[in-house]
Amino acid sequence: MFLEAKNLSKHFGGLHAVKEVDFSVEKGKINAIIGPNGAGKSTFFNVITGLHRPSSGQVIFKGDDISKLPPNKIALLGIARTFQTTNLFEQATVFENVVVGHRLRTKSNLFDAIFRTKRTKQEEEKCKEKALEVLHFVGLAHAAERMVGSISQEEKKRIAFALALATDPEIVFLDEPTAGVNPDETEELAQLMQKMVQKGITVCLIEHKMQMIMKLADKIMVLNYGEKIAEGTPDEINNNEEVIKAYLGGSASA
Amino acid sequence: MELLIQQLFNGLTIGSVYSLVALGLTLVYGILHIPNFAHGALYMVGAYVTLTMMVQGGFHYLLAIVISILVVGLISVLMERVVFHPLRDSTPIQHKVAAIGVLLFLEALAHYIWGADYQQMPTPYGQVVKVFDLTFTMQRILIVVTAIVVMILLYLFLKKTYTGATIIAMSQNREGAYLVGINANKVAMLTFFIAGALAAIGASLTSPINLVFPSMGHLVILKAFVIIIIGGMGSVPGAILGGYILGFSESLGATYLFSDYKDLIAFVLLVIILTVKPQGIFAKGGV
Amino acid sequence: MPTLLSKKYALIAIILVAILIPLLSTNEYYLHILTLSFIWIIAVYGLNLLAGFTGYLSLAHAGFFGIGAYALGLLTVKGGMSFWPAFFLAPVITTVIGFFIGLVALRTKEHFFAIYTLCVGYIIYLVIDKWEGLTGGVRGLIGIPGPTNIGPIELTSANARYYFVLTVLLLVVFLIYRIVNSLVGRSFIAIRNDEQLAQSIGISTLKNKLMSFVLSTFFAGLAGALYASFIRFIGPDISNINITFDLLIFMIVGGIGTLSGPVIGTLLIVVLSQQLQFLQDHRMLIFGPLLTSIIIFSPRGLAGMYLTWYYKRKAKKKAQIQTDNASIGGDS
């Protein structure tokens, strides 16, 4: 098993945001999590990537229990993620913003910084190369020297992807990666996700845009009120009674 | 025993003032998520306006307080419009720095207009009341009674009127409040007015038993922050409760423990609380 | 790269001017003010590293400044230690205290952090003010020694003290430059921009925040020690919140999160204060509104204003060249 959630629950006070969810991510595929607003999708992501401690249950990555690790340790293991909103340094270039993405693979400390040791020079070089590489990968090489404050919403999404990729991940969790961009751009971002998978990176995303998900995903899990109500291929999900009921009966946000 | 009762009553007096100041701070925090460092300056201006109205204007104490409420309330609204409204989408550091700028300005202004000297505020309620063997001044009784009446009125306003309900709604759920069509600008201005008014009342009530000077707001505002952290940032009952808790701990602590360091009580309390619970005592769980 | 070169020349020119000032002017008063400004700048750099580059506004900064000053004062006056060991120990003591306070303070965030540090600063002030047995209370500490000569290097004249403080300042600027432009600095900046994101790309936010906090207290302590040895007398007021507010004004006016901001802001405000001496205690009538308006209209201060203008011009030039090229291409 690659990455697996076992009987995972998270509640805030009396509110059960995620309730006893079992889910396994398929390696090298595009996995999607869908569900009506407030279904607990983001919370599920947050628990897996260490932002929240699970109330009960486990998250297993390549055989190790990672449910008690802080986010930075989880990133170190090769699990990256993006957020719905990404706050960047607006008065710096796209490139400058992405260099730090590879920081976790370097060892330079304060001493290296002050004396500019050989190690720190090499590592800085490595980070910069990585930044160029991932910017190229996400199709932003041309905008590397532009100020973040002057770029479009869709380009900011790509920077978020680039930052996640700069950590050298085996799996990336994308939280609504195409929210707030137009259909053409959505299509391009979808292609980018496929490109990630081709490169051997497993993708797991939360999405609202059903059409796109049905085309893109290899495997889908549906959450409703924090509980898993269905799991399977797009075809299976399309014909699942409970899913149809949840979407028709619940808030019609899909 | 007498000493204890006397000190408990003192605690009630101080606590009443703390609660009034903390209430304004917590209301503003609830609506805009701004820790208004300038709130202590409003408190100080409130005391000076009342004092000036009495001494120079020849107004009766209570009438002077009413004028002070209006003046400070308007300064507070002006502050919201000129400073915090333009900053509504900015970073938290910007809010804090802006508030500090206002604080420094108002203090310097008070210093300029009224001088640095400590001044005494006269009161028509200096009489001493004897109950059994205990003596109370009318002024202290006035503080407690007025504070409680003001708090009840505030409570009724927030709970029973539509306008009050919008304040509560906005502090509980900002986005939701926008969705149901609450005029956020109006609510913010109203909240700032109330906060300023409460600070003016608190300062005017306590000044006759303390002193009036330009930096008189410093300690009070620090303590008010401690109170609203104890009571939960944004919580109205929490601010009242926290105010009295601090009032009692100080008056008892000063009598029975260490009078020199009485002002430290609040801060040590805060440091302990935030050390144990970094998000405050009554923080809503999770996120 | 012409911009880098011109930057270098500008820097060398500024340093040269700083070195020449005592030789050109014999006005001891101005030299005194300038030396004092340099000390403030060092403290502002500390504040800026934490608030400007890491996103955590500490309001206890004057407290740490006070600890540094009193550490030097107490070690020399009461402990009988000679100047140099005390001068090196004072920032270390401040840093150790800063480490433990930071460990706890950094459990809080944003407003809670500001309020927490405000209270910590007040506690430090109260302890210095009330603990008469140790600190001398409101009477303060007198007779603190200044730097003593090192071999042939004379350090007792006003000019020598100026150069001494200038040297320390240049060293501090160099340190800050190195830190900010390193991978460590990039980690700080990432935390400032988005702490959650920083942690999710594998940055240990706890460790980096603590490092930034401790460094900021180190610079505060260093500035405090310099202050004590320069003024030779210290009282509890140097740890008062008003000093933190002064440092905050220097930082915000100059430019929070910029490298040149602390120098620009401090020198500008100090010079302005000299010009506005008729205002005396009322200078905040001007500086208070100045602080608020800068944070509203130019959140990155004067340095940020210049940088924005500079980049806009650069972008415009670039666009201009591109359109020129395009039109040339079209013509041919």
Side-chain angles (χ1 to χ4, degrees), chain B residues 116-134:
Chain B
D117 297 338
Y118 289 66
Q119 298 186 41
Q120 182 90 48
M121 186 187 284
T123 167
Y125 304 106
Q127 311 89 322
V128 173
V129 186
K130 263 199 170 212
V131 183
F132 304 112
D133 279 342
L134 304 165

Side-chain angles (χ1 to χ4, degrees), chain A residues 72 87 89 96 103 114, chain C residues 178 186-187 193-194 199:
Chain A
N72 51 309
N87 296 313
F89 187 9
E96 290 292 326
R103 165 68 171 144
I114 291 170
Chain C
R178 277 277 168 95
R186 285 183 193 276
S187 307
N193 295 336
D194 192 331
Q199 205 178 10

Side-chain angles (χ1 to χ4, degrees), chain B residues 49-77:
Chain B
V49 173
T50 305
L51 180 69
T52 310
M53 285 303 136
M54 289 175 77
V55 176
Q56 253 123 54
F59 291 103
H60 183 266
Y61 178 51
L62 295 180
L63 190 59
I65 294 182
V66 173
I67 298 171
S68 177
I69 289 173
L70 292 174
V71 172
V72 178
L74 288 178
I75 294 176
S76 183
V77 171

Side-chain angles (χ1 to χ4, degrees), chain C:
Chain C
M1 287 232 279
T3 54
L4 206 67
L5 264 183
S6 61
K7 233 186 198 169
K8 210 174 193 174
Y9 285 132
L11 195 66
I12 291 171
I14 291 169
I15 294 173
L16 269 180
V17 170
I19 291 173
L20 288 176
I21 282 177
L23 308 175
L24 299 174
S25 156
T26 47
N27 188 326
E28 289 224 355
Y29 176 70
Y30 284 126
L31 201 65
H32 179 90
I33 295 291
L34 207 54
T35 314
L36 201 55
S37 307
F38 290 171
I39 294 173
W40 294 130
I41 293 173
I42 293 171
V44 177
Y45 269 114
L47 187 64
N48 194 30
L49 189 66
L50 184 63
F53 289 99
T54 323
Y56 276 73
L57 180 63
S58 164
L59 295 175
H61 209 61
F64 292 109
F65 182 85
I67 291 175
Y70 269 89
L72 181 100
L74 291 173
L75 285 175
T76 50
V77 175
K78 295 211 168 168
M81 201 182 264
S82 59
F83 176 80
W84 288 106
F87 180 70
F88 286 104
L89 260 177
V92 174
I93 291 171
T94 317
T95 309
V96 170
I97 296 174
F99 173 80
F100 286 107
I101 291 178
L103 214 53
V104 180
L106 288 166
R107 286 161 50 92
T108 63
K109 282 195 173 115
E110 287 180 6
H111 302 320
F112 287 104
F113 180 81
I115 295 168
Y116 190 94
T117 49
L118 186 67
C119 291
V120 167
Y122 197 79
I123 291 173
I124 295 174
Y125 167 72
L126 269 188
V127 167
I128 292 177
D129 190 58
K130 303 267 187 209
W131 194 354
E132 273 186 50
L134 181 74
T135 63
V138 281
R139 281 175 291 116
L141 271 183
I142 47 171
I144 300 165
T148 46
N149 298 347
I150 313 173
I153 307 170
E154 179 263 345
L155 279 169
T156 45
S157 73
N159 277 3
R161 299 254 149 114
Y162 170 87
Y163 286 124
F164 171 58
V165 174
L166 178 65
T167 312
V168 179
L169 172 63
L170 290 176
L171 209 65
V172 166
V173 175
F174 176 73
L175 278 179
I176 296 274
Y177 174 82
R178 277 277 168 95
I179 293 170
V180 168
N181 285 295
S182 70
L183 289 170
V184 174
R186 285 183 193 276
S187 307
F188 291 173
I189 294 171
I191 292 171
R192 176 197 66 190
N193 295 336
D194 192 331
E195 189 165 341
Q196 223 171 47
L197 179 67
Q199 205 178 10
S200 83
I201 56 169
I203 291 169
S204 168
T205 46
L206 192 74
K207 203 179 89 185
N208 281 285
K209 276 159 29 179
L210 189 59
M211 196 193 298
S212 177
F213 188 90
V214 166
L215 281 168
S216 107
T217 60
F218 170 80
F219 290 117
L222 177 66
L226 279 173
Y227 180 90
S229 69
F230 180 64
I231 301 290
R232 319 287 285 276
F233 159 81
I234 47 175
D237 278 350
I238 58 162
S239 63
N240 193 279
I241 183 74
N242 288 323
I243 299 288
T244 301
F245 289 156
D246 278 339
L247 299 174
L248 185 69
I249 294 175
F250 299 158
M251 174 176 75
I252 297 294
V253 171
I256 183 171
T258 65
L259 268 175
S260 54
V263 179
I264 298 173
T266 309
L267 290 180
L268 185 78
I269 298 293
V270 169
V271 169
L272 263 178
S273 303
Q274 293 299 316
Q275 299 303 313
L276 298 173
Q277 261 185 346
F278 62 92
L279 280 173
Q280 289 175 358
D281 295 334
H282 310 307
R283 60 199 187 91
M284 285 302 170
L285 281 176
I286 291 174
F287 295 146
L290 180 69
L291 183 67
T292 305
S293 5
I294 291 238
I295 206 69
I296 295 176
F297 298 111
S298 178
R300 299 219 307 150
L302 296 174
M305 217 186 269
Y306 170 76
L307 286 174
T308 310
W309 171 80
Y310 173 79
Y311 283 123
K312 263 199 189 135
R313 204 186 56 157
K314 207 168 95 173
K316 222 185 229 170
K317 256 189 189 164
K318 216 172 165 186
Q320 188 66 44
I321 291 167
Q322 272 165 0
T323 49
D324 285 355
N325 287 347
S327 60
I328 291 167
D331 285 342
S332 62

Side-chain angles (χ1 to χ4, degrees), chain B residues 21-37 39 76 80 84 92 95-96 167-168 170-174 187-188 191-192 195 221 224-225 227-229 231-236 239 278-280 282-284, chain C residues 109-115:
Chain B
V21 181
L23 268 173
L25 202 61
T26 211
L27 282 174
V28 166
Y29 187 84
I31 299 288
L32 293 173
H33 287 262
I34 295 168
N36 189 1
F37 287 106
H39 196 68
S76 183
E80 195 278 328
F84 294 120
H95 293 149
K96 278 173 285 207
I167 293 184
I168 298 289
M170 211 173 128
S171 72
Q172 279 166 355
N173 185 341
R174 274 205 277 185
V187 175
T191 308
F192 268 81
I221 183 70
F225 273 124
I227 290 163
I228 69 172
I229 286 176
M233 304 271 272
S235 156
V236 170
Q279 270 143 3
F282 298 113
K284 289 174 193 131
Chain C
K109 282 195 173 115
E110 287 180 6
H111 302 320
F112 287 104
F113 180 81
I115 295 168

Side-chain angles (χ1 to χ4, degrees), chain A residues 188-207:
Chain A
E188 283 170 27
L189 289 175
Q191 281 168 14
L192 185 55
M193 286 176 235
Q194 281 164 335
K195 201 170 147 192
M196 288 183 201
V197 171
Q198 277 159 23
K199 206 190 162 200
I201 299 166
T202 306
V203 172
C204 184
L205 74 156
I206 293 176
E207 206 28 272

